[in-house]
Amino acid sequence: MDFNFIKEVIPMYGEATLLTLRIGFTGIILSFLTGIFCAIVRYGKIPVLNLIVRIYTELSRNTPLLIQLFFLYFALPRMGIKLTGEQCGIIGLTFLGGSYMAETFRSSLETVGKNQLESGMCIGLNKRQLVQYVVLPQAMAVSVPGLVANIIFLLKETSVFSAVALADLMYVAKDLIGLYYKTEESLLLLVIAYFVILLPISFAAYFIEKKVNFNRS
């Protein structure tokens, strides 16, 4: 194990980690918003939009992120639409993550009992108020485990961004292996980098879920 080499390349992994986090969390936030919108459409069975969301969900969940990135990065320029690697990463992650978030939120929305909806209607709440004050707060609490699982899944999916020339963690690791043949050192730093990114999220999720469950009990 060449520790001098590890010391020299740590700054490269630091920059790649920041890039991965920036693209990852931007895509996750947009996925979150997309998922809420799609879940509400599916839950409310809104005409036309419901069909569009169902098609989007099936298309997104049944195609790999790598294929989606290839389409954005290589196919769209032939149609006159040019995107940077970072834009492709954010759009691809949002497209994939939105469908997973939508299914998580939709299943959570359906856990709200009809008796609670009827109680809300009895006190004069309209549909928008029912969703805002009765359905969403309870659904958000139920969705915490699935939401965290999706976040971790999407952050791990960023490992394919190197396919569209993004200097993310995987790109740096492959580049160093190809240049210096330092396979063990490069992969060790790659594992550590993802561990540092994902472990705090897992701990935060544990405490949030514990607090949510305590408040619900």
Side-chain angles (χ1 to χ4, degrees):
M1 188 68 67
D2 189 343
F3 291 101
N4 289 327
F5 174 80
I6 291 176
K7 185 178 179 180
E8 289 177 4
V9 300
I10 280 178
M12 297 176 63
Y13 278 88
E15 293 178 6
T17 299
L18 292 176
L19 175 66
T20 299
L21 287 172
R22 183 172 73 249
I23 297 176
F25 279 106
T26 301
I28 287 168
I29 291 170
L30 294 175
S31 298
F32 183 85
L33 298 175
T34 302
I36 290 178
F37 172 78
C38 293
I40 291 174
V41 169
R42 292 290 306 275
Y43 181 75
K45 297 181 172 58
I46 300 174
V48 183
L49 283 178
N50 186 36
L51 177 61
I52 294 173
V53 167
R54 290 184 66 179
I55 293 172
Y56 153 68
T57 302
E58 293 302 321
L59 177 64
S60 172
R61 285 164 62 89
N62 290 287
T63 53
L65 177 58
L66 183 61
I67 302 302
Q68 297 170 10
L69 291 176
F70 279 166
F71 177 80
L72 292 169
Y73 194 74
F74 296 109
L76 286 186
R78 294 180 175 273
M79 305 175 191
I81 304 173
K82 294 183 179 180
L83 300 172
T84 65
E86 188 166 334
Q87 289 171 334
C88 290
I90 292 172
I91 293 171
L93 204 63
T94 302
F95 185 78
L96 177 68
S99 61
Y100 281 90
M101 295 291 188
E103 289 301 297
T104 298
F105 290 135
R106 184 181 65 84
S107 60
S108 300
L109 289 170
E110 292 177 350
T111 62
V112 180
K114 290 184 178 180
N115 59 328
Q116 298 187 50
L117 299 178
E118 293 170 354
S119 299
M121 293 173 65
C122 288
I123 63 174
L125 297 181
N126 57 36
K127 287 185 178 181
R128 182 187 63 80
Q129 291 172 326
L130 278 174
V131 171
Q132 183 177 354
Y133 298 115
V134 179
V135 178
L136 280 181
Q138 296 183 63
M140 286 298 179
V142 173
S143 68
V144 169
L147 177 62
V148 173
N150 287 338
I151 291 173
I152 293 174
F153 163 72
L154 291 174
L155 284 174
K156 289 192 290 187
E157 283 293 292
T158 60
S159 60
V160 303
F161 284 169
S162 59
V164 291
L166 275 173
D168 67 336
L169 288 166
M170 183 62 74
Y171 182 96
V172 170
K174 291 194 297 185
D175 197 37
L176 291 174
I177 292 171
L179 287 173
Y180 303 106
Y181 300 100
K182 299 288 186 177
T183 304
E184 293 84 0
E185 294 85 348
S186 300
L187 293 179
L188 174 63
L189 287 174
L190 179 64
V191 170
I192 292 173
Y194 273 107
F195 187 76
V196 169
I197 291 173
L198 297 174
L199 187 63
I201 296 175
S202 297
F203 277 123
Y206 170 77
F207 288 111
I208 292 172
E209 186 176 353
K210 190 175 181 180
K211 185 175 181 180
V212 168
N213 290 335
F214 176 77
N215 290 336
R216 291 177 62 200
S217 61

